[in-house]
Amino acid sequence: MGDTPGILWSHPQLAAAVAGEDWGAVFRAYRKLTGLSQTKLGERVGLVQPDVSDIERGNRRVTSTEVRQRIVDGLGVPAALNSHMRQRHSPEAPVSGLALPGIAPDEDLLVRVTSVVDTSRRVDAPTLDWLDRLLAEHRRAEDEIGSRPLVEVMRQQLRTVVDLYAGARGPLADRVVRLAAEHAQFLAWMAQDQDDAATALAWYDRSHEWALEAGDANMAATTLNMKAHMAWSRGRGTRCVKLAEASRWSAPGTSLGVQGMATQMAARGHALNGEADDAHRLLDEAQDIITRASAHPEDEPVWMYFYGETWFTLQRGMAAMHLHDWQSAVDHLTAGLDALPDDYRRDKTWYRTCLAHALAASGESARAAAVAMASVPDASDIGRPHSWNELHTTAAVLMRRGAKEGRQLATLLKDHD
């Protein structure tokens, strides 16, 4: 990749890190794509290895204009990306305004759900039953069409749920709050799917608070599991482990499925850190929990519908990737994908791109390219940014190995940008 700077800097993760001036993320992504060590990268930008390590881990911030320019020059950041930074740091640049409203929680939602609002709406169990079913249908639809088309629909649906609170009494009031927590969790997941971490965290916090108010241990634990998943997706293995552990001890009495999810999330955090023994121990523990949970699916919350042996097989494949056990990753991902129904289009796209990455890393260049290229249309349609990033990573791995298929894949990705 060092000889193909245009393709290198077209990688969405790297470009986004530069745009956000997250230099730790820039260093991590650049080294992942080029195979450079921290020492070699430091030589390019005029930093010693401990400084590179501190920046990558977030222990040191880059505030000096001179250091920033050394990084830009040393890594060959393209002018198109660099121009945004020059404008941001120009003394004549206007002060940035507040962000426009996005998909984050409205400020008044918490007040509205915990305060009496004048309303004549009647709340009854059949209405809440219908909203439960509607949410379940939207979750299933998101599996197939992705999150983008559903965000505004779900925001409006949550507002409807919140408006019912004032007219609810007794158990119905608790049920409304529980339903609001489920909607907020789904909105958080969709923001996470779009790689909007700040919005996702805001919704997870709101969902967690409402789940506690409603006495819903399963949802309270699930929000922590999903925060662990976010930490994992951003390469923060220790935080992933800590949040997964918090899910287990802070919400006792959760279902076996929710417990199993927490256990496998902790395993993935350990795998991300290269801690193979802990990862395999927890994966075996999670496997046992899943087996017991599968015997009583009626005891699981409705949002755990996807959780089972197939899904867990795929998670074993992901853990194997982190541990660089490429053949095990290929075997588990292949088996899981073969068993995953076609109506899980978004997940199939993601795991196929991971399989392509594992195949490339294991030296099966032709098969990796075939899987990756077949995934491009779906990754472009509903798999951005995560599946899309994984395809760019696969192209980088192939090119680093000198495989001609790497440039072919990179060209195809560029054509779809």
Side-chain angles (χ1 to χ4, degrees):
M1 288 294 288
D3 296 328
T4 54
I7 294 174
L8 173 69
W9 289 101
S10 71
H11 193 289
Q13 257 181 347
L14 195 54
V18 171
E21 294 196 57
D22 185 345
W23 299 110
V26 170
F27 284 3
R28 291 193 300 273
Y30 191 93
R31 291 201 310 109
K32 178 180 178 182
L33 294 169
T34 62
L36 285 181
S37 66
Q38 290 182 339
T39 299
K40 291 295 185 183
L41 186 144
E43 291 174 358
R44 293 194 178 189
V45 300
L47 294 170
V48 295
Q49 183 274 329
D51 288 340
V52 174
S53 177
D54 283 345
I55 291 171
E56 283 195 5
R57 296 166 62 188
N59 295 333
R60 173 181 169 182
R61 295 182 60 198
V62 176
T63 56
S64 164
T65 301
E66 185 266 335
V67 172
R68 184 186 296 110
Q69 193 58 48
R70 286 211 315 264
I71 295 172
V72 169
D73 293 341
L75 299 186
V77 177
L81 294 176
N82 192 20
S83 64
H84 295 296
M85 291 187 292
R86 287 199 300 269
Q87 181 179 8
R88 186 180 305 173
H89 293 286
S90 168
E92 281 135 28
V95 177
S96 299
L98 293 175
L100 294 173
I103 59 173
D106 294 334
E107 288 295 327
D108 66 332
L109 275 177
L110 181 61
V111 174
R112 293 171 66 207
V113 83
T114 55
S115 306
V116 174
V117 179
D118 290 336
T119 181
S120 59
R121 296 187 184 184
R122 178 173 175 269
V123 182
D124 54 24
T127 298
L128 299 182
D129 289 343
W130 177 79
L131 286 168
D132 277 334
R133 292 194 299 271
L134 193 58
L135 176 57
E137 289 297 324
H138 281 132
R139 288 187 186 276
R140 297 289 186 143
E142 196 263 346
D143 289 331
E144 190 162 355
I145 67 174
S147 59
R148 286 193 297 270
L150 290 171
V151 170
E152 189 54 36
V153 173
M154 296 314 302
R155 280 177 57 85
Q156 293 300 323
Q157 194 166 307
L158 173 58
R159 188 169 287 276
T160 298
V161 172
V162 169
D163 283 343
L164 293 176
Y165 182 78
R169 297 292 181 271
L172 287 180
D174 287 340
R175 193 173 163 193
V176 170
V177 178
R178 182 178 294 110
L179 190 56
E182 292 182 26
H183 279 74
Q185 183 269 334
F186 187 37
L187 280 163
W189 161 252
M190 290 193 290
Q192 182 177 337
D193 181 59
Q194 296 172 41
D195 204 27
D196 185 350
T199 297
L201 286 172
W203 277 121
Y204 280 135
D205 285 343
R206 186 60 52 84
S207 175
H208 186 79
E209 185 173 348
W210 283 339
L212 293 177
E213 181 182 343
D216 189 341
N218 281 324
M219 178 52 72
T222 294
T223 58
L224 294 176
N225 286 338
M226 298 311 297
K227 282 187 174 184
H229 178 76
M230 281 190 64
W232 166 82
S233 68
R234 292 181 170 268
R236 303 180 65 183
T238 300
R239 177 173 169 81
C240 175
V241 172
K242 295 292 186 183
L243 286 166
E245 290 175 346
S247 171
R248 301 185 76 181
W249 61 255
S250 67
T254 56
S255 73
L256 285 172
V258 173
Q259 293 172 36
M261 178 180 282
T263 306
Q264 67 83 22
M265 279 308 318
R268 277 202 280 172
H270 283 298
L272 192 59
N273 287 342
E275 298 156 355
D277 290 344
D278 286 331
H280 289 305
R281 173 179 57 81
L282 287 169
L283 285 170
D284 289 342
E285 182 181 340
Q287 181 81 60
D288 176 67
I289 295 172
I290 288 173
T291 300
R292 288 187 285 136
S294 63
H296 297 283
E298 70 279 3
D299 293 339
E300 297 302 321
V302 292
W303 61 85
M304 294 291 292
Y305 63 91
F306 63 91
Y307 191 78
E309 292 287 346
T310 296
W311 186 81
F312 186 74
T313 298
L314 293 163
Q315 302 315 305
R316 279 195 180 273
M318 298 302 299
M321 286 185 68
H322 295 315
L323 296 170
H324 295 177
D325 186 353
W326 300 115
Q327 190 55 56
S328 177
V330 168
D331 291 344
H332 282 101
L333 289 171
T334 300
L337 280 164
D338 286 345
L340 193 64
D342 289 338
D343 52 3
Y344 285 86
R345 182 184 172 210
R346 185 205 58 234
D347 287 348
K348 273 211 160 185
T349 303
W350 162 245
Y351 289 116
R352 278 176 179 150
T353 62
C354 293
L355 174 60
H357 180 178
L359 287 165
S362 69
E364 295 189 52
S365 300
R367 187 180 168 199
V371 172
M373 291 180 180
S375 303
V376 167
D378 280 344
S380 177
D381 186 18
I382 66 168
R384 294 174 187 259
H386 302 292
S387 297
W388 199 246
N389 289 351
E390 198 68 15
L391 288 175
H392 277 272
T393 298
T394 300
V397 172
L398 290 170
M399 294 176 74
R400 197 160 64 234
R401 286 178 166 272
K404 67 180 185 301
E405 292 88 352
R407 188 172 296 278
Q408 294 168 356
L409 175 57
T411 300
L412 182 60
L413 292 170
K414 187 176 181 180
D415 290 343
H416 278 76
D417 269 334

Coordinates of all heavy atoms in Angstrom, one line a residue, residues 15-97:
A15 N -9.6 8.3 6.1 CA -10.0 9.7 5.7 C -10.9 10.3 6.8 O -10.7 11.5 7.1 CB -10.9 9.6 4.4
A16 N -11.7 9.5 7.4 CA -12.6 10.1 8.5 C -11.7 10.5 9.7 O -12.0 11.5 10.3 CB -13.6 9.1 8.9
A17 N -10.7 9.7 10.0 CA -9.8 10.0 11.1 C -9.1 11.3 10.9 O -8.9 12.2 11.8 CB -8.8 8.9 11.4
V18 N -8.6 11.5 9.6 CA -7.9 12.8 9.3 C -8.9 14.0 9.4 O -8.6 15.0 10.0 CB -7.3 12.7 7.9 CG1 -6.8 14.1 7.5 CG2 -6.2 11.7 7.9
A19 N -10.1 13.8 8.8 CA -11.1 14.9 8.8 C -11.4 15.3 10.3 O -11.6 16.5 10.6 CB -12.3 14.4 8.1
G20 N -11.4 14.3 11.2 CA -11.7 14.6 12.6 C -10.5 15.0 13.4 O -10.6 15.2 14.6
E21 N -9.3 15.0 12.8 CA -8.0 15.2 13.4 C -7.9 14.3 14.6 O -7.4 14.7 15.7 CB -7.9 16.7 13.8 CG -7.8 17.6 12.6 CD -7.3 19.0 13.0 OE1 -6.1 19.0 13.5 OE2 -8.0 19.9 12.7
D22 N -8.3 13.0 14.5 CA -8.1 12.0 15.5 C -6.8 11.3 15.1 O -6.8 10.3 14.5 CB -9.3 11.0 15.5 CG -9.2 10.0 16.6 OD1 -8.1 9.9 17.2 OD2 -10.2 9.3 16.9
W23 N -5.7 11.9 15.6 CA -4.4 11.4 15.1 C -4.1 10.0 15.7 O -3.3 9.2 15.0 CB -3.3 12.4 15.5 CG -3.5 13.7 14.9 CD1 -3.9 14.9 15.5 CD2 -3.5 14.0 13.5 NE1 -4.1 15.9 14.5 CE2 -3.9 15.4 13.3 CE3 -3.2 13.2 12.4 CZ2 -3.9 16.0 12.1 CZ3 -3.3 13.8 11.1 CH2 -3.6 15.2 11.0
G24 N -4.6 9.6 16.8 CA -4.4 8.3 17.3 C -5.1 7.3 16.3 O -4.5 6.3 16.0
A25 N -6.3 7.6 15.9 CA -7.0 6.8 14.9 C -6.2 6.8 13.6 O -6.2 5.7 12.9 CB -8.4 7.2 14.7
V26 N -5.7 7.9 13.2 CA -4.9 8.0 11.9 C -3.7 7.0 12.0 O -3.5 6.2 11.1 CB -4.4 9.4 11.7 CG1 -3.4 9.4 10.5 CG2 -5.5 10.3 11.4
F27 N -3.0 7.1 13.1 CA -1.8 6.2 13.3 C -2.2 4.7 13.3 O -1.6 3.9 12.6 CB -1.1 6.5 14.6 CG -0.3 7.8 14.6 CD1 -0.2 8.6 13.4 CD2 0.5 8.1 15.7 CE1 0.5 9.8 13.4 CE2 1.3 9.3 15.7 CZ 1.3 10.1 14.5
R28 N -3.3 4.4 14.0 CA -3.7 3.0 14.0 C -4.1 2.5 12.7 O -3.8 1.4 12.2 CB -4.9 2.8 15.0 CG -4.5 3.0 16.5 CD -5.6 2.5 17.4 NE -6.8 3.2 17.3 CZ -7.2 4.3 17.9 NH1 -6.3 4.9 18.7 NH2 -8.3 4.9 17.6
A29 N -5.0 3.3 12.0 CA -5.5 2.8 10.7 C -4.3 2.8 9.6 O -4.2 1.8 8.8 CB -6.5 3.8 10.2
Y30 N -3.4 3.8 9.7 CA -2.3 3.8 8.7 C -1.4 2.6 8.9 O -1.0 1.9 8.0 CB -1.5 5.1 8.9 CG -0.5 5.4 7.9 CD1 -0.8 6.2 6.8 CD2 0.8 4.9 8.0 CE1 0.1 6.4 5.8 CE2 1.8 5.1 7.0 CZ 1.4 5.9 5.9 OH 2.3 6.1 4.9
R31 N -1.1 2.2 10.2 CA -0.2 1.1 10.4 C -0.9 -0.2 10.0 O -0.3 -1.1 9.5 CB 0.2 1.1 11.9 CG 1.1 2.2 12.3 CD 1.9 1.9 13.5 NE 1.1 1.5 14.7 CZ 1.2 0.2 15.2 NH1 1.9 -0.7 14.6 NH2 0.4 -0.1 16.2
K32 N -2.3 -0.3 10.3 CA -3.0 -1.5 9.9 C -3.0 -1.7 8.4 O -2.8 -2.8 7.9 CB -4.4 -1.4 10.4 CG -5.3 -2.5 10.1 CD -6.7 -2.3 10.6 CE -7.7 -3.5 10.2 NZ -9.1 -3.2 10.7
L33 N -3.1 -0.6 7.7 CA -3.2 -0.7 6.2 C -1.8 -0.9 5.6 O -1.7 -1.5 4.5 CB -3.9 0.5 5.6 CG -5.3 0.7 6.0 CD1 -5.8 2.1 5.6 CD2 -6.2 -0.4 5.4
T34 N -0.7 -0.4 6.2 CA 0.6 -0.5 5.6 C 1.5 -1.5 6.2 O 2.5 -1.9 5.6 CB 1.3 0.9 5.7 OG1 1.5 1.2 7.1 CG2 0.5 2.0 5.0
G35 N 1.1 -2.0 7.4 CA 2.0 -3.0 8.1 C 3.2 -2.4 8.8 O 4.1 -3.1 9.2
L36 N 3.2 -1.1 8.9 CA 4.4 -0.4 9.5 C 4.3 -0.6 11.0 O 3.2 -0.7 11.7 CB 4.3 1.1 9.3 CG 4.8 1.6 7.9 CD1 4.7 3.1 7.9 CD2 6.2 1.1 7.6
S37 N 5.5 -0.7 11.7 CA 5.6 -0.7 13.1 C 5.5 0.7 13.7 O 5.6 1.7 12.9 CB 6.9 -1.3 13.6 OG 8.0 -0.5 13.2
Q38 N 5.3 0.8 15.0 CA 5.2 2.2 15.6 C 6.6 2.9 15.4 O 6.6 4.1 15.1 CB 4.9 2.1 17.0 CG 3.5 1.7 17.3 CD 3.1 1.6 18.8 OE1 4.0 1.5 19.6 NE2 1.9 1.7 19.1
T39 N 7.7 2.1 15.4 CA 9.0 2.8 15.3 C 9.1 3.3 13.8 O 9.6 4.4 13.6 CB 10.1 1.7 15.5 OG1 10.0 1.3 16.9 CG2 11.5 2.3 15.3
K40 N 8.8 2.5 12.8 CA 8.9 3.0 11.5 C 8.0 4.1 11.2 O 8.3 5.1 10.4 CB 8.6 1.8 10.5 CG 9.6 0.7 10.5 CD 11.0 1.2 10.0 CE 12.0 0.1 9.8 NZ 13.3 0.6 9.4
L41 N 6.7 4.1 11.7 CA 5.9 5.2 11.5 C 6.5 6.5 12.1 O 6.4 7.6 11.6 CB 4.5 4.9 12.1 CG 3.4 6.0 11.8 CD1 2.0 5.4 11.5 CD2 3.3 7.0 12.9
G42 N 7.0 6.3 13.3 CA 7.6 7.5 14.0 C 8.8 8.1 13.2 O 8.9 9.3 13.2
E43 N 9.5 7.2 12.5 CA 10.6 7.8 11.7 C 10.1 8.7 10.6 O 10.7 9.7 10.2 CB 11.4 6.6 11.1 CG 12.2 5.8 12.1 CD 12.9 4.6 11.5 OE1 12.7 4.3 10.3 OE2 13.6 3.9 12.3
R44 N 8.9 8.3 10.1 CA 8.3 9.1 9.0 C 7.8 10.5 9.5 O 7.8 11.5 8.7 CB 7.1 8.4 8.3 CG 7.5 7.1 7.6 CD 6.4 6.6 6.7 NE 6.9 5.4 6.0 CZ 6.2 4.8 5.0 NH1 5.0 5.3 4.7 NH2 6.6 3.7 4.4
V45 N 7.3 10.6 10.7 CA 6.7 11.8 11.2 C 7.6 12.5 12.2 O 7.1 13.5 12.8 CB 5.3 11.5 11.8 CG1 4.4 10.9 10.7 CG2 5.4 10.6 13.0
G46 N 8.8 12.0 12.5 CA 9.7 12.7 13.4 C 9.3 12.5 14.9 O 9.4 13.5 15.7
L47 N 8.7 11.3 15.3 CA 8.4 11.1 16.7 C 9.1 9.8 17.1 O 9.2 8.9 16.3 CB 6.9 10.9 16.8 CG 6.0 12.2 16.6 CD1 4.6 11.8 16.5 CD2 6.3 13.2 17.7
V48 N 9.4 9.7 18.3 CA 9.9 8.4 18.8 C 8.8 7.4 19.1 O 7.6 7.8 19.3 CB 10.8 8.6 20.1 CG1 12.0 9.5 19.8 CG2 9.9 9.2 21.2
Q49 N 9.1 6.1 19.2 CA 8.1 5.1 19.3 C 7.2 5.3 20.6 O 6.0 5.2 20.4 CB 8.7 3.7 19.4 CG 7.8 2.5 19.5 CD 7.3 2.2 20.9 OE1 8.1 2.4 21.8 NE2 6.1 1.8 21.1
P50 N 7.7 5.7 21.7 CA 6.8 5.9 22.9 C 5.8 7.0 22.6 O 4.6 6.9 23.1 CB 7.8 6.3 24.0 CG 9.1 5.6 23.7 CD 9.1 5.7 22.2
D51 N 6.2 8.0 21.9 CA 5.2 9.1 21.6 C 4.1 8.6 20.6 O 3.0 8.9 20.8 CB 6.0 10.3 20.9 CG 6.8 11.1 21.9 OD1 6.5 10.9 23.2 OD2 7.7 11.8 21.5
V52 N 4.5 7.8 19.6 CA 3.5 7.2 18.7 C 2.6 6.4 19.5 O 1.3 6.4 19.3 CB 4.2 6.4 17.6 CG1 3.2 5.7 16.8 CG2 5.1 7.3 16.7
S53 N 3.1 5.6 20.4 CA 2.2 4.7 21.3 C 1.3 5.5 22.1 O 0.1 5.2 22.2 CB 3.1 3.8 22.2 OG 2.3 3.0 23.0
D54 N 1.8 6.6 22.7 CA 0.9 7.4 23.6 C -0.2 8.1 22.8 O -1.4 8.2 23.2 CB 1.7 8.5 24.3 CG 2.5 8.0 25.4 OD1 2.2 6.9 25.9 OD2 3.5 8.7 25.9
I55 N 0.1 8.5 21.5 CA -0.9 9.2 20.7 C -1.9 8.1 20.3 O -3.2 8.4 20.3 CB -0.2 9.8 19.5 CG1 0.6 11.0 19.9 CG2 -1.3 10.2 18.4 CD1 1.5 11.6 18.8
E56 N -1.5 6.9 19.9 CA -2.4 5.9 19.5 C -3.4 5.5 20.7 O -4.6 5.2 20.4 CB -1.7 4.6 19.1 CG -1.1 4.7 17.7 CD -0.7 3.4 17.1 OE1 -0.9 2.3 17.8 OE2 -0.1 3.3 16.0
R57 N -2.9 5.5 21.9 CA -3.7 5.1 23.0 C -4.5 6.2 23.6 O -5.2 6.0 24.6 CB -2.8 4.4 24.1 CG -2.1 3.2 23.6 CD -0.9 2.8 24.5 NE -1.4 2.5 25.9 CZ -0.6 2.3 26.9 NH1 0.7 2.4 26.8 NH2 -1.1 2.0 28.1
G58 N -4.3 7.4 23.1 CA -5.1 8.5 23.6 C -4.5 9.2 24.8 O -5.1 10.0 25.5
N59 N -3.3 8.8 25.2 CA -2.6 9.3 26.3 C -1.9 10.7 26.0 O -1.5 11.4 27.0 CB -1.6 8.4 26.9 CG -2.2 7.1 27.4 OD1 -3.3 7.1 27.9 ND2 -1.5 6.0 27.4
R60 N -1.8 11.0 24.8 CA -1.2 12.3 24.4 C -2.0 12.8 23.2 O -2.4 12.1 22.3 CB 0.3 12.1 24.0 CG 0.9 13.3 23.4 CD 2.3 13.1 22.9 NE 2.8 14.3 22.1 CZ 4.0 14.3 21.6 NH1 4.9 13.3 21.7 NH2 4.4 15.4 20.9
R61 N -2.3 14.1 23.3 CA -3.0 14.8 22.2 C -2.0 15.6 21.3 O -1.0 16.1 21.9 CB -4.1 15.7 22.7 CG -5.2 15.0 23.5 CD -6.2 16.0 23.9 NE -6.8 16.8 22.8 CZ -7.4 17.9 23.0 NH1 -7.6 18.5 24.2 NH2 -7.9 18.5 21.9
V62 N -2.3 15.7 20.1 CA -1.5 16.5 19.1 C -2.1 17.9 19.1 O -3.1 18.1 18.5 CB -1.4 15.8 17.7 CG1 -0.6 16.7 16.8 CG2 -0.8 14.5 17.8
T63 N -1.4 18.8 19.7 CA -1.9 20.2 19.8 C -1.0 21.2 19.0 O -1.4 22.3 18.7 CB -2.1 20.7 21.2 OG1 -0.8 20.5 21.9 CG2 -3.1 19.8 22.0
S64 N 0.2 20.7 18.8 CA 1.2 21.6 18.1 C 1.0 21.6 16.6 O 0.9 20.6 16.0 CB 2.6 21.1 18.5 OG 3.6 21.7 17.6
T65 N 0.9 22.8 16.1 CA 0.8 23.0 14.6 C 2.0 22.4 13.9 O 1.9 21.7 12.9 CB 0.7 24.5 14.3 OG1 -0.4 25.0 14.9 CG2 0.6 24.6 12.7
E66 N 3.2 22.5 14.5 CA 4.4 22.0 13.9 C 4.4 20.4 13.9 O 4.7 19.8 12.8 CB 5.6 22.4 14.7 CG 7.0 22.1 14.1 CD 7.5 20.8 14.7 OE1 7.1 20.4 15.8 OE2 8.3 20.1 14.0
V67 N 3.9 19.8 15.0 CA 3.8 18.3 15.0 C 2.7 17.9 14.0 O 2.9 16.9 13.3 CB 3.5 17.8 16.4 CG1 3.2 16.3 16.4 CG2 4.7 18.1 17.3
R68 N 1.6 18.6 14.0 CA 0.6 18.2 13.0 C 1.1 18.3 11.6 O 0.8 17.4 10.8 CB -0.6 19.2 13.2 CG -1.8 18.8 12.4 CD -2.9 19.9 12.5 NE -3.5 20.0 13.8 CZ -3.3 21.0 14.7 NH1 -2.5 22.0 14.3 NH2 -3.8 21.0 15.9
Q69 N 1.8 19.3 11.3 CA 2.3 19.4 9.9 C 3.4 18.3 9.6 O 3.4 17.8 8.4 CB 3.0 20.8 9.7 CG 3.3 21.1 8.2 CD 2.0 21.1 7.4 OE1 1.0 21.7 7.8 NE2 2.0 20.4 6.3
R70 N 4.1 17.9 10.6 CA 5.1 16.8 10.4 C 4.3 15.5 10.0 O 4.8 14.7 9.2 CB 6.0 16.6 11.6 CG 7.0 17.7 11.8 CD 8.3 17.1 12.5 NE 8.0 16.3 13.6 CZ 8.0 16.7 14.9 NH1 8.2 17.9 15.2 NH2 7.8 15.8 15.9
I71 N 3.2 15.3 10.7 CA 2.4 14.1 10.5 C 1.9 14.1 9.1 O 1.9 13.2 8.3 CB 1.3 14.0 11.5 CG1 1.9 13.7 12.9 CG2 0.4 12.8 11.1 CD1 0.9 13.8 14.0
V72 N 1.3 15.3 8.7 CA 0.7 15.5 7.4 C 1.8 15.2 6.3 O 1.5 14.5 5.3 CB 0.1 16.9 7.2 CG1 -0.3 17.1 5.8 CG2 -1.1 17.0 8.1
D73 N 2.9 15.8 6.5 CA 4.0 15.7 5.4 C 4.6 14.3 5.4 O 4.8 13.7 4.4 CB 5.1 16.7 5.7 CG 4.6 18.1 5.5 OD1 3.6 18.3 4.8 OD2 5.3 19.0 6.0
G74 N 4.8 13.7 6.6 CA 5.4 12.4 6.7 C 4.6 11.3 6.2 O 5.1 10.3 5.6
L75 N 3.3 11.4 6.4 CA 2.4 10.3 6.0 C 1.8 10.6 4.6 O 1.1 9.7 4.0 CB 1.2 10.1 6.9 CG 1.6 9.7 8.4 CD1 0.3 9.5 9.2 CD2 2.5 8.5 8.4
G76 N 2.1 11.8 4.0 CA 1.6 12.1 2.7 C 0.1 12.3 2.6 O -0.6 11.8 1.7
V77 N -0.5 13.0 3.6 CA -1.9 13.2 3.6 C -2.2 14.1 2.4 O -1.6 15.1 2.1 CB -2.3 14.0 4.9 CG1 -3.8 14.3 4.8 CG2 -2.0 13.2 6.1
P78 N -3.2 13.6 1.5 CA -3.5 14.3 0.3 C -4.0 15.8 0.6 O -4.6 16.1 1.6 CB -4.6 13.5 -0.3 CG -4.5 12.1 0.3 CD -4.0 12.4 1.7
A79 N -3.8 16.6 -0.4 CA -4.1 18.0 -0.3 C -5.6 18.2 0.0 O -6.0 19.1 0.7 CB -3.7 18.8 -1.5
A80 N -6.4 17.3 -0.6 CA -7.9 17.5 -0.5 C -8.3 17.3 1.0 O -9.2 18.0 1.5 CB -8.6 16.5 -1.4
L81 N -7.7 16.4 1.7 CA -8.0 16.2 3.1 C -7.3 17.2 3.9 O -7.9 17.7 4.9 CB -7.5 14.8 3.5 CG -8.2 13.6 2.9 CD1 -7.6 12.3 3.4 CD2 -9.7 13.6 3.3
N82 N -6.1 17.6 3.5 CA -5.4 18.6 4.3 C -6.0 20.0 4.3 O -5.9 20.7 5.2 CB -3.9 18.7 3.8 CG -3.0 19.4 4.7 OD1 -3.3 19.6 5.9 ND2 -1.9 19.9 4.1
S83 N -6.7 20.3 3.2 CA -7.3 21.6 3.0 C -8.4 21.9 4.1 O -8.5 23.0 4.6 CB -7.9 21.8 1.7 OG -9.0 20.9 1.5
H84 N -9.1 20.8 4.5 CA -10.1 21.0 5.6 C -9.4 21.4 6.9 O -10.0 22.2 7.6 CB -10.9 19.7 5.7 CG -11.7 19.4 4.5 ND1 -12.7 20.2 4.1 CD2 -11.6 18.3 3.7 CE1 -13.3 19.6 3.0 NE2 -12.6 18.5 2.7
M85 N -8.3 20.8 7.2 CA -7.6 21.2 8.4 C -7.0 22.6 8.3 O -7.1 23.3 9.3 CB -6.5 20.2 8.6 CG -7.0 18.8 9.0 SD -5.6 17.7 9.5 CE -4.7 17.5 7.9
R86 N -6.5 23.0 7.2 CA -5.9 24.3 7.0 C -7.0 25.4 7.3 O -6.8 26.4 7.9 CB -5.3 24.5 5.6 CG -4.0 23.8 5.4 CD -3.3 24.4 4.3 NE -4.0 24.3 3.0 CZ -3.9 23.3 2.2 NH1 -3.1 22.2 2.5 NH2 -4.6 23.2 1.1
Q87 N -8.2 25.1 6.7 CA -9.3 26.0 6.9 C -9.7 26.1 8.4 O -10.0 27.2 8.9 CB -10.5 25.6 6.1 CG -11.7 26.5 6.2 CD -12.9 26.1 5.3 OE1 -12.8 25.0 4.8 NE2 -13.9 26.9 5.2
R88 N -9.7 24.9 9.0 CA -10.1 24.9 10.4 C -9.2 25.7 11.3 O -9.6 26.3 12.3 CB -10.2 23.4 10.9 CG -10.8 23.3 12.3 CD -10.8 21.8 12.7 NE -11.6 21.0 11.7 CZ -11.6 19.7 11.8 NH1 -11.0 19.0 12.7 NH2 -12.3 19.1 10.8
H89 N -7.9 25.6 11.0 CA -6.9 26.3 11.9 C -6.5 27.6 11.4 O -5.6 28.3 12.0 CB -5.6 25.4 11.9 CG -5.9 24.1 12.7 ND1 -6.0 24.0 14.0 CD2 -6.1 22.8 12.2 CE1 -6.3 22.8 14.4 NE2 -6.3 22.0 13.3
S90 N -7.1 28.1 10.3 CA -6.8 29.5 9.8 C -7.4 30.5 10.7 O -8.6 30.4 11.2 CB -7.5 29.6 8.4 OG -7.4 31.0 8.1
P91 N -6.7 31.6 11.1 CA -7.2 32.6 12.0 C -8.4 33.3 11.4 O -9.2 33.9 12.2 CB -6.0 33.5 12.2 CG -5.1 33.3 11.1 CD -5.3 31.8 10.7
E92 N -8.6 33.3 10.1 CA -9.7 33.9 9.5 C -10.9 33.1 9.4 O -12.0 33.5 8.9 CB -9.3 34.4 8.1 CG -8.5 35.7 8.2 CD -7.3 35.7 7.3 OE1 -7.4 35.0 6.3 OE2 -6.4 36.4 7.6
A93 N -10.8 31.8 9.7 CA -11.9 30.9 9.6 C -13.0 31.2 10.6 O -12.7 31.6 11.7 CB -11.5 29.4 9.8
P94 N -14.2 31.2 10.2 CA -15.3 31.5 11.2 C -15.4 30.5 12.3 O -15.0 29.3 12.1 CB -16.6 31.5 10.3 CG -16.2 30.6 9.1 CD -14.7 30.8 8.9
V95 N -15.9 30.9 13.4 CA -16.1 30.0 14.5 C -17.2 29.0 14.1 O -18.2 29.3 13.6 CB -16.6 30.8 15.8 CG1 -16.9 29.8 16.9 CG2 -15.5 31.8 16.2
S96 N -16.9 27.7 14.4 CA -17.9 26.7 14.0 C -19.2 26.9 14.8 O -19.2 27.2 16.0 CB -17.3 25.3 14.4 OG -16.1 25.1 13.6
G97 N -20.3 26.7 14.0 CA -21.6 26.8 14.7 C -22.0 25.5 15.3 O -21.3 24.5 15.2

